[in-house]
Amino acid sequence: MALYRLLRRAGTSYVFSFAAGTLFITGYVLMTGNALSGLRALVMCLLMMYAQVLGRTYDMLSALSTAAVMFIWNNPYVLYNSGFLLSFCAIMGIAVVLPALKRVFLPDRPQSNHAEKRCFIDTLRDTVKASFLTSFSVTAATLPVILNCYYEFPLYSVFLNLLVIPLMPLVMLCSVSAGVTGLFCKPAGVFLLGTAHFILEFYEVLCGTVGKLPYARIVAGKPKLWQCVVYLLVLALFVVLSHFPSDFWQKLLFNATHRKRKGAAELKKSAEDTKTVKYSKIVKKCELIFLAVAIMIIMLPKKPSFEIDMLDVGQGDGIYMMTPEGETYLFDGGSSDEKNLAQNTLVPFLKSKGVARIDYALVSHTDTDHISGIMELMQGDEITVGAVLLPEALKNCDDAN
């Protein structure tokens, strides 16, 4: 899209700009491996450019729906693909949830004829607010998918995106420019690639640092179907309520309170004296409560109950147990034919149950098919192991050390 807009500003025709933009973005998607998110962006960008060529209005939801229908028609099982769901839900959040958040928390401010400095400060504040609301809208729309696929919520991701997202266009620009300028001037290409590399290194350090903060990942477990349905209904209600202007709620609340007490003339006079700000603040608080309730519902902690699960660990043994008091036990946890057992099996299972800590890991003996996964858990930082219990017979054995 950037190339298309650049060519249009240079005065080229719509058709030529559309053809050049199509070739460029198609080549980019092919080079990135035809990822679902890239293909979704390709379809939406082509529809946006084609709409301008025809002189029609581009609608993001229509383009998103067209791309979704194309994917599902080609392969219905794509509905079970986390990449597909995250990509489309993120754009849905930008197209639907973000406008609602802006209507509530970033209303149009009347222009001031005086203090230019204050206007600049207000503009800067509104820009930061808009960036935060964009990040929050994506998180709100993708939260059910994240919890159903990864069983945990990155608490600081909303704030982290404020630093990550603004730099992404610069990474793309430096990378593409390096590929072109490197053909003619190697030092310039190296400089541009170095800039992109520095930003990516900054991303890695930033994410690693934030990941070490307390409560960086909240293990909520896999939500039940009713939790997801209620969450989406409450979120939809928030979007619907945001379409009503504050004066609508002012009149509604005022009329309901004073209709029986005052006549028409006195009612009109009192309505003129009522401050709209008071009612808009009430509405904002109510809508904030809606959002908070929706998040609390989908992240509702699971009530402890007695449970025993036999884990599929291949050639090995692994039994998980939870008591009604909430204590968790892992009886063995190893495999002789499954590599990375903790990463591929134990950690996803425990997170799906909303478990971030194993209180007791009981080991029958120290063969690989009984202990490999437990060793991986202890070496990692995703699941905490409170204590490892060994049989008395291994007390003086070298294998137990």
Side-chain angles (χ1 to χ4, degrees):
M1 282 304 300
L3 177 62
Y4 171 81
R5 290 170 180 168
L6 183 63
L7 292 175
R8 284 296 303 140
R9 290 181 180 179
T12 59
S13 65
Y14 279 107
V15 176
F16 178 81
S17 301
F18 173 71
T22 300
L23 290 175
F24 180 81
I25 191 173
T26 302
Y28 173 78
V29 172
L30 291 174
M31 287 189 296
T32 54
N34 290 327
L36 287 174
S37 58
L39 293 173
R40 188 267 310 156
L42 172 63
V43 173
M44 296 185 68
C45 287
L46 291 179
L47 291 175
M48 179 183 291
M49 293 186 293
Y50 190 59
Q52 294 186 12
V53 171
L54 297 180
R56 305 294 294 272
T57 301
Y58 171 76
D59 180 68
M60 183 182 294
L61 284 178
S62 299
L64 184 66
S65 301
T66 302
V69 169
M70 293 173 62
F71 279 110
I72 297 172
W73 183 272
N74 180 63
N75 180 17
Y77 290 101
V78 77
L79 289 171
Y80 299 96
N81 186 290
S82 61
F84 170 85
L85 296 175
L86 287 173
S87 178
F88 279 82
C89 287
I91 301 302
M92 184 68 73
I94 294 175
V96 178
V97 181
L98 178 59
L101 290 172
K102 286 185 175 181
R103 283 190 293 267
V104 175
F105 302 106
L106 199 62
D108 295 332
R109 183 179 284 105
Q111 297 292 334
S112 175
N113 296 327
H114 306 291
E116 295 182 359
K117 183 177 180 180
R118 182 180 178 183
C119 289
F120 171 76
I121 294 176
D122 290 342
T123 302
L124 181 61
R125 184 173 59 215
D126 290 347
T127 301
V128 175
K129 278 186 178 181
S131 300
F132 175 79
L133 292 179
T134 302
S135 178
F136 183 82
S137 66
V138 172
T139 301
T142 57
L143 183 59
V145 181
I146 292 174
L147 293 181
N148 273 280
C149 296
Y150 304 102
Y151 320 120
E152 62 181 2
F153 173 65
L155 182 61
Y156 306 119
S157 61
V158 178
F159 306 98
L160 193 62
N161 287 336
L162 296 178
L163 297 175
V164 173
I165 294 178
L167 295 177
M168 282 305 300
L170 182 59
V171 174
M172 292 291 300
L173 179 63
C174 290
S175 302
V176 174
S177 300
V180 177
T181 57
L183 299 174
F184 309 99
C185 181
K186 184 177 179 180
V190 171
F191 173 78
L192 292 172
L193 280 179
T195 303
H197 175 75
F198 174 78
I199 297 175
L200 294 177
E201 287 286 344
F202 169 72
Y203 283 171
E204 186 174 356
V205 173
L206 181 64
C207 294
T209 303
V210 173
K212 296 178 181 178
L213 295 177
Y215 306 104
R217 294 189 299 265
I218 299 178
V219 180
K222 185 175 182 178
K224 297 181 179 179
L225 179 60
W226 71 265
Q227 291 177 280
C228 296
V229 172
V230 173
Y231 173 83
L232 294 176
L233 288 177
V234 175
L235 190 62
L237 181 61
F238 167 79
V239 173
V240 172
L241 292 177
S242 69
H243 283 278
F244 293 95
S246 57
D247 58 346
F248 169 82
W249 298 107
Q250 175 186 349
K251 295 176 182 178
L252 182 64
L253 293 173
F254 182 81
N255 291 339
T257 306
H258 297 82
R259 185 179 291 111
K260 296 182 179 180
R261 300 181 182 178
K262 302 184 178 182
E266 192 175 354
L267 177 62
K268 182 177 180 181
K269 180 180 178 181
S270 299
E272 293 174 352
D273 296 334
T274 304
K275 294 182 179 181
T276 306
V277 177
K278 175 183 176 181
Y279 291 95
S280 63
K281 288 183 178 180
I282 294 175
V283 173
K284 283 185 178 181
K285 289 180 180 179
C286 292
E287 291 174 330
L288 273 175
I289 293 174
F290 274 121
L291 287 177
V293 168
I295 295 174
M296 289 173 61
I297 288 174
I298 199 171
M299 298 190 67
L300 194 67
K302 294 176 173 55
K303 184 179 178 180
S305 60
F306 183 75
E307 177 181 355
I308 296 180
D309 296 281
M310 309 293 182
L311 305 182
D312 184 5
V313 295
Q315 182 62 41
D317 192 15
I319 302 174
Y320 164 80
M321 184 180 76
M322 173 181 280
T323 65
E325 293 76 23
E327 288 188 339
T328 54
Y329 296 82
L330 183 63
F331 297 90
D332 290 330
S335 177
S336 58
D337 60 347
E338 295 286 342
K339 296 182 179 180
N340 301 321
L341 181 65
Q343 179 182 353
N344 297 332
T345 302
L346 298 183
V347 172
F349 169 79
L350 293 173
K351 286 184 177 180
S352 70
K353 297 295 182 179
V355 174
R357 173 186 171 86
I358 291 293
D359 294 313
Y360 301 99
L362 293 88
V363 178
S364 60
H365 56 86
T366 57
D367 287 354
T368 302
D369 58 345
H370 283 251
I371 200 173
S372 63
I374 295 177
M375 295 296 293
E376 294 173 15
L377 287 179
M378 296 175 63
Q379 293 170 359
D381 58 353
E382 296 188 83
I383 302 295
T384 303
V385 179
V388 178
L389 305 182
L390 300 173
E392 185 71 18
L394 297 176
K395 184 175 182 180
N396 297 322
C397 293
D398 295 336
D399 293 341
N401 294 328

